[in-house]
Amino acid sequence: STEEIFGRVQETLIDALGVDDDEVTAEATLIADLGAESIDFLDIVFRLEKNFELKIPRGELFPEGLATADSSFVKDGKVTADGLAQLRQQIPHADIDKLAADPQVENISDLFTVQMIVNFIESKLNG
């Protein structure tokens, strides 16, 4: 169930990031709220693979280079409509609508929430 998945994702993040369980809410962002750094993402993926007994191909959960200087993706510090469409394809488990409301490049990291991981794991298990 979604609640079970959330609980296991929460445990994974508590172990990986050394945060308290009350900090790991569905809306919490990995970077701003939980203090994750890029190196932590590898650890999180490894722990999720172990906890859920699945294989997560590199870049599938946390795509790399999202804010690259690709001109169709970003213009004047904002994610373009093409960029948003590309994000919807690359990370369907993230809440792109929230980014679309304020498409500043620096808001891309806010896509990486606890709920996004839960959605991803759910889609993998039910896929």
Side-chain angles (χ1 to χ4, degrees), residues 1 4 6 8 21 24 26 35 38 48 50 53 66-67 72 83 85 95 106 117-118 121:
S1 75
E4 285 176 85
F6 176 79
R8 286 166 71 187
D21 58 352
V24 186
S38 53
L48 289 170
K50 209 168 137 191
E53 296 176 17
L66 286 180
S72 69
D95 182 3
E106 58 268 19
I117 296 174
V118 171
I121 297 291

Side-chain angles (χ1 to χ4, degrees), residues 63-80 83 86-87 90 105-106 108:
E64 295 157 19
L66 286 180
T68 55
D70 180 341
S71 58
S72 69
F73 194 84
V74 174
K75 186 175 167 77
D76 302 325
K78 291 192 171 165
V79 180
T80 63
Q86 206 175 337
L87 282 171
Q90 276 190 304
V105 170
E106 58 268 19
I108 290 176

Side-chain angles (χ1 to χ4, degrees), residues 8-9 11-13 15-16 41-57 61 117 120-121 124-125:
R8 286 166 71 187
V9 166
E11 282 172 34
T12 302
L13 294 171
D15 291 345
F41 288 104
L42 292 171
D43 187 34
I44 291 167
V45 168
F46 173 74
R47 289 170 188 262
L48 289 170
E49 286 182 327
K50 209 168 137 191
N51 288 352
F52 289 96
E53 296 176 17
L54 6 120
K55 185 77 189 108
I56 301 172
L61 176 56
I117 296 174
F120 176 81
I121 297 291
K124 286 296 247 187
L125 294 176

Side-chain angles (χ1 to χ4, degrees), residues 11 16 19-20 22 24-26 28 34 52 61 63-64 66 71 77 84 88 92-93 96 108 115 118 124 126:
E11 282 172 34
V19 292
D20 294 328
D22 61 345
V24 186
T25 62
L34 302 179
F52 289 96
L61 176 56
E64 295 157 19
L66 286 180
S71 58
L84 290 168
R88 285 181 205 282
H93 41 278
I96 306 300
I108 290 176
Q115 187 61 50
V118 171
K124 286 296 247 187
N126 300 332

